[in-house]
Amino acid sequence: MKKSICVVGLGYIGLPTAVMFANHGHTVYGVDVNEKAVNMINEKQLHIEENGLQERLEKAIDAGLFSASTKPQKADVFIIAVPSPIMPDKTANLEYVRQATASVVPYLEKGNLVILESTVPPRTVQDIMLPELVKSGLEIGTELFVSHSPERVIPGRVFEELVSNDRIIGGYTPESAHQTKELYKSFVKGQMHETDATTAELVKVMENTYRDINIAFANELAKLAETLGVNIWEAIKLANYHPRVNVHEPGPGVGGHCIAVDPWFLVELAPETAQMIHLARKTNDGMPGYTAQMTASILDAKGIKDPKVAVFGLAFKGNIDDMRESPSMDVIEALREREIHLSAYDPHIKENNIDEQVQSQEEALEDASAILILTNHNKFKEIYPTTLKNMKNKIVIDTKNCIDRATWEAAGFDVYVLGDSKN
Ligand code: SAJ
């Protein structure tokens, strides 16, 4: 049964989801407060990078099944996919969710379904959305159906995972869950697991908190290995041969608008109880400072005066263009505090976001004493170190264990890898 769907929030999740529904025959109205993004989308231009999005957007618009505007309109279904960030004090900022919910209320009619896709603290549907939705005068659960169905996609593989991943469908009532599941059957091939809205909210936050804690474990191991004469990457690989062990990877910090954010929802909910969750967050948030200190110590030990460091990688992880909550920015801030000169280069970030950022690798390397690799972009793995001529010293500090040590050493580089005190 084809529906009209209003998708509020055309970001990394909302736009691919809107386009996916349109490509499966539904009539989709995209809504975003960012007028520039709305105009670009209607011109078939993208304001975000995602594999396969361009051709799918064109197909949806050409079929007359997708258009974008800054205002909602009447529809059978309203999907809310707006940011749910944290404030500087680490408390949840649910204002975008509340405003997006309020924005659709005037258009709600009997039989409509409202689905929240944003990742939120447990009880957001209950305590933030419902007080707005009841202003429609519709009876929740019989005249108006409400659910929470969080996405689990990985940037760069959104369209594959939108189809293949299992989905959690959290209905405010069982009928809400049922209607939501029927809608996602348009393209979801994964299993769809029905539950209540609050459980669905908690499940999603649990998934990302699980990952954050495991990354913190890897980071603690990396620091511990620095004095052992062990390469932690080798040790993790060996440990993971155990059928029930899955130690994650260390790094210069945890970025993105998910893993670095969602665990704070649980800390805010139960600060006395969520001790381990809180400590994991602090461990991961300590890695940028640890990385800057490691860099400064290496340069000091070599007696390099007034060094310049070429920071490679601003995106929060490899092969994407997203800088949200990127640990690279924290590493750069820590290097600035140490008065270490730096340039910053990221082949995926086409606009300069900081003064030190340059768009050419050669310019970044000019007179640099060290390259500091912070994201495992494939483009960095493919660098031929013998071609890097204009550096003052040949040091490379690899926080993602992503370059080939032997190749770089053969090109005359001193190679340092986070967590490797064996080589
Ligand atoms: N990272 C590590 N070590 C690791 C894995 C990741 O340091 O072993 C770092 C990355 O470099 C990055 C950050 O953590 O800075 C987050 O990386 P990520 O791969 O978790 O990327 P996200 O945030 O795009 O994706 C996560 C995924 N959640 C889980 O894997 C449980 C994804 O499935 C979610 O959909 C997404 O969060 C989300 O939007 O919630």
Side-chain angles (χ1 to χ4, degrees):
M1 166 79 154
K2 300 309 173 196
K3 300 271 186 184
S4 57
I5 303 173
C6 185
V7 178
V8 183
L10 299 176
Y12 286 88
I13 296 307
L15 184 55
T17 301
V19 159
M20 185 66 111
F21 274 117
N23 290 165
H24 286 79
H26 300 280
T27 302
V28 184
Y29 311 110
V31 181
D32 202 292
V33 292
N34 178 338
E35 195 162 354
K36 179 170 176 271
V38 165
N39 295 335
M40 285 179 71
I41 289 165
N42 285 328
E43 295 297 318
K44 301 181 190 175
Q45 290 167 17
L46 289 181
H47 63 299
I48 53 173
E49 183 182 288
E50 180 53 52
N51 295 333
L53 181 54
Q54 183 66 49
E55 55 265 34
R56 284 180 171 84
L57 173 64
E58 290 170 7
K59 184 178 164 200
I61 292 177
D62 291 346
L65 290 173
F66 179 63
S67 61
S69 74
T70 55
K71 289 271 177 287
Q73 55 183 294
K74 288 186 188 305
D76 300 319
V77 179
F78 294 82
I79 296 178
I80 294 173
V82 295
S84 45
I86 46 173
M87 312 279 254
D89 68 355
K90 306 300 184 188
T91 56
N93 173 2
L94 296 173
E95 200 42 36
Y96 299 106
V97 170
R98 197 197 57 73
Q99 282 169 9
T101 305
S103 75
V104 305
V105 167
Y107 306 92
L108 294 177
E109 291 179 336
K110 197 170 174 187
N112 282 173
L113 169 61
V114 179
I115 303 169
L116 175 68
E117 283 213 5
S118 308
T119 302
V120 291
R123 295 192 59 81
T124 296
V125 169
Q126 181 81 33
D127 299 342
I128 302 288
M129 290 183 71
L130 285 192
E132 296 298 335
L133 294 173
V134 293
K135 293 173 186 171
S136 65
L138 296 168
E139 192 173 307
I140 310 289
T142 52
E143 295 177 328
L144 182 66
F145 301 95
V146 187
S147 66
H148 171 56
S149 181
E151 40 65 36
R152 294 163 147 172
V153 296
I154 277 271
R157 286 175 29 206
V158 167
F159 287 100
E160 296 91 329
E161 294 209 347
L162 275 177
V163 173
S164 60
N165 286 357
D166 282 17
R167 263 198 109 99
I168 306 298
I169 310 281
Y172 183 66
T173 61
E175 175 57 21
S176 303
H178 174 71
Q179 290 193 20
T180 304
K181 182 174 181 177
E182 287 308 304
L183 180 76
Y184 281 109
K185 273 182 183 171
S186 307
F187 56 77
V188 174
K189 298 288 178 279
Q191 288 288 309
M192 287 195 270
H193 308 281
E194 294 177 67
T195 183
D196 64 275
T198 305
T199 300
E201 289 165 329
L202 179 59
V203 165
K204 171 65 190 179
V205 173
M206 280 165 61
E207 292 163 2
N208 284 350
T209 302
Y210 157 84
R211 189 162 175 80
D212 194 51
I213 289 173
N214 276 278
I215 294 167
F217 177 52
N219 284 328
E220 196 154 282
L221 289 172
K223 291 190 283 189
L224 191 143
E226 293 288 9
T227 57
L228 274 181
V230 164
N231 176 352
I232 199 59
W233 299 86
E234 176 193 4
I236 288 170
K237 186 170 175 229
L238 293 173
N240 287 348
Y241 285 122
H242 186 293
R244 286 175 299 284
V245 171
N246 174 29
V247 180
H248 288 27
E249 292 186 347
V254 169
H257 49 293
C258 320
I259 306 295
V261 169
D262 301 351
W264 286 116
F265 293 161
L266 298 182
V267 173
E268 181 183 3
L269 206 66
E272 294 314 310
T273 307
Q275 303 277 339
M276 182 172 64
I277 295 169
H278 198 173
L279 181 58
R281 281 279 70 242
K282 288 191 281 191
T283 302
N284 290 333
D285 280 355
M287 291 312 287
Y290 182 85
T291 299
Q293 179 52 47
M294 173 180 158
T295 303
S297 305
I298 288 167
L299 294 166
D300 285 351
K302 289 185 172 298
I304 297 172
K305 296 287 175 258
D306 199 21
K308 172 190 165 186
V309 173
V311 174
F312 274 25
L314 293 174
F316 80 78
K317 68 177 196 176
N319 304 319
I320 65 169
D321 71 340
D322 191 346
M323 283 180 63
R324 283 177 291 181
E325 308 272 331
S326 174
S328 302
M329 303 313 288
D330 299 318
V331 174
I332 285 169
E333 193 46 47
L335 290 171
R336 284 177 184 149
E337 283 165 12
R338 285 174 172 77
E339 295 179 352
I340 291 176
H341 301 296
L342 64 97
S343 59
Y345 167 67
D346 188 317
H348 289 265
I349 311 284
K350 306 295 185 199
E351 286 178 15
N352 287 350
N353 295 267
I354 55 172
D355 295 343
E356 301 95 335
Q357 186 179 353
V358 293
Q359 288 299 324
S360 102
Q361 181 178 287
E362 288 64 34
E363 190 181 349
L365 292 173
E366 194 71 41
D367 292 333
S369 292
I371 301 172
L372 175 58
I373 297 176
L374 299 178
T375 53
N376 50 359
H377 289 319
N378 290 341
K379 287 192 170 80
F380 293 156
K381 299 175 187 175
E382 292 150 11
I383 292 173
Y384 288 106
T386 48
T387 63
L388 306 181
K389 299 294 183 203
N390 56 346
M391 289 180 70
K392 199 169 156 194
N393 304 87
K394 288 193 168 185
I395 298 166
V396 58
I397 301 165
D398 177 6
T399 66
K400 301 294 284 188
N401 191 39
C402 64
I403 62 172
D404 180 73
R405 172 183 286 276
T407 305
W408 284 71
E409 284 177 337
F413 277 81
D414 287 338
V415 179
Y416 296 85
V417 176
L418 172 69
D420 179 1
S421 57
K422 180 176 184 179
N423 297 300

